[in-house]
């Protein structure tokens, strides 16, 4: 029984051991984390060293302890801790950084000869239901830094550990030291593949590490452990991992599709090695499922084997791929077992005899015509609405806020049209039962470049609607161009404030983002650092640092705000205050010297105040931070080429005066006479016979005066706040609409339809 310094000599070639040892070294360096090394490789160490028990302890420097996970009979995975001192065997090894080879741990006198305080804790034998005889323990050291201790217990042949064992454990410790050092150097405990699960709070970091340890120990896939041991939902897990690889999740437990006919054509051994499997072939595209959709060294050869130009790789779980491959392993075939099955994870792949002709000439021409006609008609959206085989499909354009039927697509052609749109948007044509989003960059026959945002939505009867948003000009409009002079003069005084909160509110599609960018353009100077977080980024400006948020990966408006505050901002624009966290952070930022812009979905400026207080914001901080609130709508304007002038009746004039209120004559400065001319819609070719062309903004601007700030603290009603704002010079949406009527830009029907929303 003696303390032995680690030898420098390497273990001589010993064929059975060397082969196993080399494999173990590879496993150590490939381990995903220190925990995976500590527990996951335990069984492999037992086999290589032919011992009854092997334990790796890692150093917890802060607590001056050694830590390990152990599996005790009848118990779950448990973490144990031991102090680094000379009272225990592993504590002694860590403290002295010397190897101990003890033939009999129950020889108390022998232990005292090594050190007077050294003892063996018999409780571990009692808990583990085993009898420890010999112990061989050595420190794990790299560049004089203690990283841990490895301990072997009881040779299976009953003999004592000898000098060969001491050399072998020293070599193992050296390899472990290098591997652990590399892990600590990178600072990553969890592989990138699984980090997204932690970001989305699907599983905690500690649980993720435990799952990797269990998976390595049981020689199973981490994904299977997450689903079975940690109750992570299959689809949620698959979708999250697939997002990391920028692909889609394919659940092979639902169907194996055309695997039976495809697998025999390829190299089965390579499929098994790389955990990849072909599931469908359509024209010149091969669809595959893989555990790792990115690292596939044989992909070029696979495409060549199947005679395709393109390959689309989905993510599937490794154990699922192994199960499918085992089913189709050469020699396992049974007659009638491999018929083609429709549907894979709810994805509706087309059968061979129903294959969609996505590149047929009529579909290409029709889709191009729809996109071009919509662009030149000034449409904001295109709606393609199929009704299956019961009737023809409709295509509608939204122009100036209203949908209009444009054409009908024969029911037998609409599938090709939708597939063509999906191909242009780089969407998966095989997926029909889940919504998808994408973008199209399209060049018209007049050489105009158009960008469209595409959304597909499954609808009743197995149909699939497509909505295309024609993205507006990516340049901001001058603020004086979109706001009337009275609003412009008041809003520009608010925008030059050094700090505070300014909100633009209104329903979806009311032009809030356009107005915000016009406001930012007004203050965009070299002296100011401006950050924006948007969903999506539709308008771009020079010098603005713009960020696209991605809630699906946890990059929310609140997360972007936190990042911006570390990036030396003067001005911050948050696309929308959707929750209390984002709103609270916006207010805190505005109170600490930043000018903050954002939007909210409310109907009026005064109502916005009450809504934010109801969200849980502190009235004192909110009142201190608020600069102003601009509520807005978009109203259809009369076609300038065909609008028709008329003299209103005295009754109509009086109704407009009454609707405006007592300040009508002060603001409109018009009285009734036979020469008074208003305008109404008529209709011509240039406006598609609607009588209207284009839209104008209606605004109500609430400036936070000292009196309004006090009312916010006192939690006044929205009506009380509105009345005080009017006393301070605010005009409401209806008043601005009536102003446009007398300016000859719109009519009463459009104003009422807009202001009653």
């Amino acid at each position: 029984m003696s303390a032995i310094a680690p030898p420098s000599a390497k273990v001589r070639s010993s064929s059975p051991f060397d082969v196993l040892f080399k494999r173990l070294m590879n496993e150590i360096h490939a381990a995903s984390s220190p925990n995976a090394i500590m527990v996951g490789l335990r069984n492999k160490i037992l086999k290589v060293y032919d011992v009854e028990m092997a334990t790796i302890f890692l150093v917890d420097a802060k607590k001056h302890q050694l830590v390990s996970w152990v599996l005790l009979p009848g118990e779950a995975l448990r973490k144990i801790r031991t102090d680094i001192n000379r009272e225990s065997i592993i504590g002694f090894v860590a403290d002295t950084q010397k190897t101990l080879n003890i033939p009999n741990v129950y020889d108390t006198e022998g232990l005292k000869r090594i050190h007077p305080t050294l003892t063996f804790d018999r409780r571990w034998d009692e808990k583990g239901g085993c009898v420890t005889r010999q112990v061989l323990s050595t420190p794990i050291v790299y560049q004089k830094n203690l990283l841990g201790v490895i301990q072997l217990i009881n040779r299976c042949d009953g003999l004592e550990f000898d000098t060969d064992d001491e050399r072998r454990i020293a070599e193992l410790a050296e390899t472990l030291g290098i591997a652990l050092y590399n892990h600590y150097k990178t600072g990553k405990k969890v592989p990138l593949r699984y980090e997204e699960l932690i970001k989305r709070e699907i599983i905690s970091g500690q649980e993720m590490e435990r799952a990797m340890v269990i998976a390595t120990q049981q020689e199973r896939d981490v994904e299977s452990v997450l689903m079975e041991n940690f109750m992570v939902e299959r689809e949620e897990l698959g979708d999250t991992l697939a997002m990391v690889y920028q692909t889609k999740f394919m659940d092979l437990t639902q169907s194996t599709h055309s695997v039976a006919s495809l697998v025999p054509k390829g190299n089965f051994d390579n499929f098994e090695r790389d955990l990849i499997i072909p599931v469908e072939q359509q024209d010149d595209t091969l669809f595959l499922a893989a555990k790792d959709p990115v690292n596939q060294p044989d992909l070029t050869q696979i495409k060549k084997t199947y005679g395709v130009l393109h390959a689309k790789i989905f993510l599937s779980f490794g154990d699922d791929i192994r199960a499918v491959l085992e089913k189709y392993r050469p020699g396992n075939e049974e007659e009638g077992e491999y018929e083609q099955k429709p549907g894979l994870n709810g994805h509706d792949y087309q059968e061979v005899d129903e294959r969609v002709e996505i590149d047929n000439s009529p579909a290409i021409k029709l889709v191009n015509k729809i996109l071009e006609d919509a662009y030149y008609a000034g449409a904001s959206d295109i709606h393609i609405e199929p009704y299956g085989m019961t009737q023809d499909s409709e295509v509608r354009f939204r122009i100036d806020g209203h949908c209009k039927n444009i054409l009908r697509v024969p029911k037998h052609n609409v599938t090709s049209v939708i597939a063509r749109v999906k191909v242009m948007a780089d969407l998966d044509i095989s997926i029909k039962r889940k919504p998808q989003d994408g973008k199209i960059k399209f060049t018209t026959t007049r050489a105009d470049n158009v960008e469209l945002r595409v959304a597909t939505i499954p609808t009743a009867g197995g149909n699939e609607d497509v909505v295309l948003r024609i993205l507006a000009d990516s340049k901001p409009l001058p603020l004086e161009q979109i706001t009337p002079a009275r609003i412009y003069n008041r809003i520009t005084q608010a925008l030059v404030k050094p700090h505070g909160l300014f909100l633009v509110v209104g329903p979806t599609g009311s032009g809030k983002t356009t107005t915000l960018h016009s406001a930012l353009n007004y203050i965009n100077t070299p002296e100011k650092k401006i950050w924006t977080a948007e969903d999506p980024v539709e308008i771009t400006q020079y010098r603005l640092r713009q960020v696209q948020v991605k809630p699906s990966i946890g990059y929310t408006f609140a997360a972007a705000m936190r990042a911006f505050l570390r990036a030396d901002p003067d001005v911050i624009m948050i696309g929308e205050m959707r929750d209390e966290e984002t709103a609270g952070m916006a207010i805190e930022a505005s109170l600490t010297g930043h000018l903050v812009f954002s939007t909210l979905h409310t109907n009026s400026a005064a109502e916005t105040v009450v809504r934010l207080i109801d969200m849980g914001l502190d009235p004192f901080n909110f009142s201190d931070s608020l600069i102003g609130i601009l509520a807005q709508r978009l109203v259809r304007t009369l076609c300038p080429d065909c609008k028709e002038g008329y003299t209103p009746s005295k009754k109509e004039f009086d109704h407009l005066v009454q609707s405006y209120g007592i300040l009508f004559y002060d603001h409109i400065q018009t009285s009734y006479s036979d020469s008074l001319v208003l305008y109404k819609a008529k209709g011509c070719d240039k406006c598609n016979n609607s009588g209207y062309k284009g839209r104008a903004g209606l605004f109500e601007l609430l400036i936070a005066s000292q009196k309004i700030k006090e009312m916010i603290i006192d939690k006044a009603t929205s009506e009380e706040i509105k009345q005080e704002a009017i006393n301070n010079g605010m005009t409401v949406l209806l008043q601005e609409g009536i102003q446009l009527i007398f300016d000859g830009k719109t009519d009463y029907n459009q104003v009422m339809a807009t202001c009653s929303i």
Side-chain angles (χ1 to χ4, degrees):
M1 183 183 301
S2 60
I4 305 171
S8 59
K10 297 291 181 183
V11 179
R12 293 184 179 179
S13 178
S14 151
S15 41
F17 175 84
D18 281 351
V19 171
L20 294 173
F21 185 76
K22 185 177 292 185
R23 291 178 185 172
L24 177 60
M25 296 305 99
N26 292 335
E27 294 272 4
I28 290 172
H29 289 299
S32 57
S33 70
N35 276 344
I37 292 174
M38 180 167 53
V39 178
L41 297 175
R42 174 181 175 274
N43 289 344
K44 294 180 174 61
I45 294 174
L46 295 180
K47 293 176 184 178
V48 174
Y49 285 86
D50 195 25
V51 293
E52 294 180 5
M53 186 176 295
T55 308
I56 299 174
F57 295 84
L58 302 183
V59 169
D60 183 342
K62 291 183 179 179
K63 296 184 178 181
H64 199 62
Q65 289 180 327
L66 294 166
V67 182
S68 186
W69 291 96
V70 295
L71 271 174
L72 298 176
E75 298 186 18
L77 198 64
R78 285 188 53 191
K79 182 177 281 189
I80 60 172
R81 289 180 175 272
T82 302
D83 292 332
I84 298 178
N85 56 39
R86 303 192 181 188
E87 295 179 2
S88 66
I89 294 173
I90 58 170
F92 180 92
V93 170
D95 191 49
T96 61
Q97 295 192 21
K98 294 181 178 181
T99 298
L100 279 185
N101 184 349
I102 302 176
N104 182 5
V105 295
Y106 285 95
D107 180 1
T108 305
E109 294 302 319
L111 294 178
K112 288 184 177 180
R113 282 196 293 272
I114 298 174
H115 192 275
T117 62
L118 186 61
T119 59
F120 173 70
D121 191 345
R122 300 167 182 248
R123 289 176 299 173
W124 290 112
D125 279 0
E126 295 169 1
K127 289 182 179 180
C130 64
V131 177
T132 302
R133 300 185 303 275
Q134 317 108 349
V135 169
L136 178 59
S137 186
T138 197
I140 303 171
V141 178
Y142 184 80
Q143 294 182 350
K144 297 183 179 181
N145 295 310
L146 178 69
L147 301 178
V149 172
I150 180 168
Q151 181 168 274
L152 306 181
I153 295 176
N154 299 347
R155 281 179 48 157
C156 291
D157 58 12
L159 300 177
E160 295 181 1
F161 291 111
D162 56 24
T163 54
D164 282 342
D165 295 318
E166 292 167 3
R167 293 193 188 97
R168 287 170 175 173
I169 196 174
E171 189 165 353
L172 174 60
E174 182 180 347
T175 303
L176 288 170
I178 295 171
L180 291 170
Y181 175 80
N182 288 335
H183 278 291
Y184 294 140
K185 183 179 179 181
T186 59
K188 293 181 71 65
K189 292 186 177 180
V190 176
L192 177 63
R193 177 183 175 92
Y194 304 115
E195 280 184 356
E196 192 59 33
L197 296 169
I198 300 171
K199 289 180 182 177
R200 295 192 186 188
E201 298 182 350
I202 296 172
I203 192 170
S204 69
Q206 288 182 335
E207 289 174 323
M208 188 68 245
E209 289 187 56
R210 289 186 64 193
M212 291 189 296
V213 167
I214 294 170
T216 307
Q217 186 181 46
Q218 298 179 354
E219 299 184 358
R220 300 166 61 205
D221 272 3
V222 174
E223 290 79 3
S224 297
V225 172
L226 288 171
M227 289 185 286
E228 295 176 22
N229 296 49
F230 295 87
M231 304 306 172
V232 177
E233 293 293 333
R234 170 177 284 270
E235 188 167 348
E236 184 177 36
L237 175 61
D239 289 343
T240 303
L241 296 180
M243 186 279 302
V244 175
Y245 294 99
Q246 297 183 334
T247 185
K248 302 291 183 182
F249 170 56
M250 179 176 289
D251 189 351
L252 293 178
T253 63
Q254 300 299 314
S255 172
T256 49
H257 225 41
S258 301
V259 173
S261 60
L262 292 173
V263 167
K265 299 178 184 178
N267 188 315
F268 191 91
D269 291 339
N270 287 353
F271 292 155
E272 209 166 30
R273 181 195 66 203
D274 298 333
L275 286 180
I276 188 169
I277 192 168
V279 293
E280 185 69 17
Q281 185 172 348
Q282 293 183 9
D283 299 326
D284 64 347
T285 300
L286 182 68
F287 297 92
L288 303 110
K291 179 178 180 180
D292 186 343
V294 174
N295 298 315
Q296 291 299 332
D298 289 339
L299 186 59
T300 301
Q301 182 58 45
I302 291 175
K303 290 193 290 185
K304 184 177 179 181
T305 299
Y306 288 90
V308 297
L309 295 176
H310 308 289
K312 176 77 172 179
I313 306 181
F314 300 104
L315 178 134
S316 292
F317 299 146
D319 283 345
D320 292 347
I321 295 173
R322 291 185 189 95
V324 174
L325 286 173
E326 185 60 31
K327 183 178 180 182
Y328 299 121
R329 182 182 297 279
N332 281 1
E333 297 89 347
E334 296 178 12
E335 187 176 355
E337 186 180 356
Y338 308 119
E339 59 183 339
Q340 183 171 322
K341 302 175 184 177
L344 184 57
N345 187 31
H347 302 165
D348 189 8
Y349 284 79
Q350 303 297 323
E351 302 290 347
V352 174
D353 58 347
E354 298 176 357
R355 190 163 294 150
V356 177
E357 297 181 51
I358 58 176
D359 290 322
N360 68 54
S361 183
I364 294 174
K365 291 179 180 178
L366 181 55
V367 171
N368 289 351
K369 176 176 172 52
I370 291 172
L371 301 185
E372 187 159 328
D373 287 355
Y375 176 70
Y376 289 117
S380 61
D381 301 88
I382 305 167
H383 298 258
I384 303 176
E385 301 166 335
Y387 294 91
M389 299 307 292
T390 60
Q391 64 186 80
D392 293 342
S393 301
E394 283 188 342
V395 176
R396 296 194 287 167
F397 293 170
R398 184 180 294 278
I399 301 175
D400 296 335
H402 290 255
C403 288
K404 182 176 181 181
N405 288 335
I406 300 298
L407 60 89
R408 301 185 76 84
V409 179
K411 54 191 175 185
H412 56 275
N413 288 338
V414 70
T415 305
S416 294
V417 169
I418 291 176
R420 175 61 187 169
V421 172
K422 291 170 77 172
V423 167
M424 294 175 71
D426 197 26
L427 302 180
D428 192 335
I429 63 169
S430 64
I431 298 176
K432 293 180 62 178
R433 299 179 187 175
K434 282 187 178 181
Q436 296 187 74
D437 298 294
K439 280 190 176 182
I440 292 176
K441 291 187 177 180
F442 175 73
T443 303
T444 69
T445 55
R446 304 182 206 175
D448 289 321
N449 295 319
V450 184
E451 188 170 2
L452 304 99
R453 192 168 73 239
V454 182
T456 67
I457 303 174
T459 49
N463 297 308
E464 188 176 23
D465 278 33
V466 178
V467 179
L468 303 96
R469 165 67 57 90
I470 301 176
L471 300 181
D473 189 348
S474 62
K475 301 300 179 185
L477 298 171
L479 192 59
E480 63 270 22
Q481 182 178 320
I482 65 172
T483 57
R486 181 170 56 255
I487 298 295
Y488 177 79
N489 292 334
R490 298 183 73 218
I491 196 173
T492 50
Q493 295 177 29
L495 297 179
V496 295
K497 299 283 186 182
H499 57 82
L501 177 66
F502 189 89
L503 300 173
V504 179
V505 302
T508 300
S510 58
K512 300 186 295 296
T513 300
T514 300
T515 300
L516 271 182
H517 271 279
S518 297
L520 290 175
N521 185 53
Y522 181 81
I523 62 172
N524 185 4
T525 62
E527 293 79 23
K528 287 187 171 63
K529 176 74 171 188
I530 304 176
W531 286 96
T532 77
E534 304 169 68
D535 185 18
V537 176
E538 294 184 3
I539 300 174
T540 57
Q541 292 193 53
Y542 172 69
R543 204 179 285 116
L544 263 61
R545 311 316 301 151
Q546 297 177 257
V547 169
Q548 166 84 51
V549 299
K550 295 182 179 180
S552 62
I553 64 171
Y555 193 22
T556 60
F557 285 120
M561 172 82 77
R562 281 191 289 269
F564 291 169
L565 291 174
R566 297 190 294 268
D568 190 29
D570 294 304
V571 181
I572 296 173
M573 191 268 269
I574 298 296
E576 184 182 344
M577 294 204 306
R578 295 176 177 171
D579 49 54
E580 181 184 352
E581 180 186 13
T582 306
M585 291 186 65
I587 289 174
E588 288 181 19
S590 66
L591 291 173
T592 53
H594 307 94
L595 183 59
V596 180
F597 295 89
S598 191
T599 72
L600 206 67
H601 286 91
T602 52
N603 292 322
S604 68
E607 180 187 317
T608 303
V609 174
V610 177
R611 173 76 62 84
L612 288 171
I613 296 297
D614 289 344
M615 283 174 63
L617 298 186
D618 178 52
F620 291 91
N621 289 339
F622 179 38
S623 64
D624 282 347
S625 68
L626 185 64
I627 296 174
I629 303 171
L630 181 71
Q632 70 177 72
R633 299 287 190 281
L634 292 177
V635 63
R636 299 175 81 190
T637 53
L638 295 165
C639 174
D641 294 297
C642 67
K643 67 180 181 180
E644 190 173 57
Y646 73 99
T647 299
S649 66
K650 184 65 166 60
K651 183 178 180 181
E652 181 182 349
F653 177 82
D654 290 343
H655 179 68
L656 290 173
V657 173
Q658 184 179 3
S659 298
Y660 193 97
I662 59 174
L663 294 178
F664 174 85
Y665 292 104
D666 291 344
H667 291 168
I668 305 298
Q669 298 179 349
T670 297
S671 58
Y672 184 77
S673 68
D674 293 339
S675 61
L676 176 64
V677 178
L678 301 182
Y679 292 87
K680 60 183 178 180
K682 182 179 180 182
C684 65
D685 291 340
K686 292 185 178 180
C687 62
N688 294 316
N689 292 312
S690 67
Y692 301 96
K693 190 173 184 180
R695 289 188 290 179
L698 302 181
F699 305 93
E700 63 179 41
L701 177 60
L702 180 153
I703 297 296
S705 64
Q706 185 57 41
K707 175 64 175 175
I708 288 178
K709 289 177 181 287
E710 292 171 359
M711 294 176 74
I712 293 174
I713 295 173
D714 294 336
K715 296 186 178 180
T717 65
S718 60
E719 191 59 37
E720 292 170 337
I721 294 173
K722 174 183 175 181
Q723 190 56 53
E724 178 60 26
I726 290 173
N727 295 340
N728 290 341
M730 181 181 83
T731 50
V732 298
L733 295 170
L734 179 59
Q735 291 174 321
E736 288 297 315
I738 293 173
Q739 177 72 65
L740 288 183
I741 293 173
F742 282 92
D743 290 344
K745 294 181 179 180
T746 191
D747 58 30
Y748 183 75
N749 290 336
Q750 292 302 317
V751 170
M752 292 308 298
T754 301
C755 293
S756 61
I757 295 176

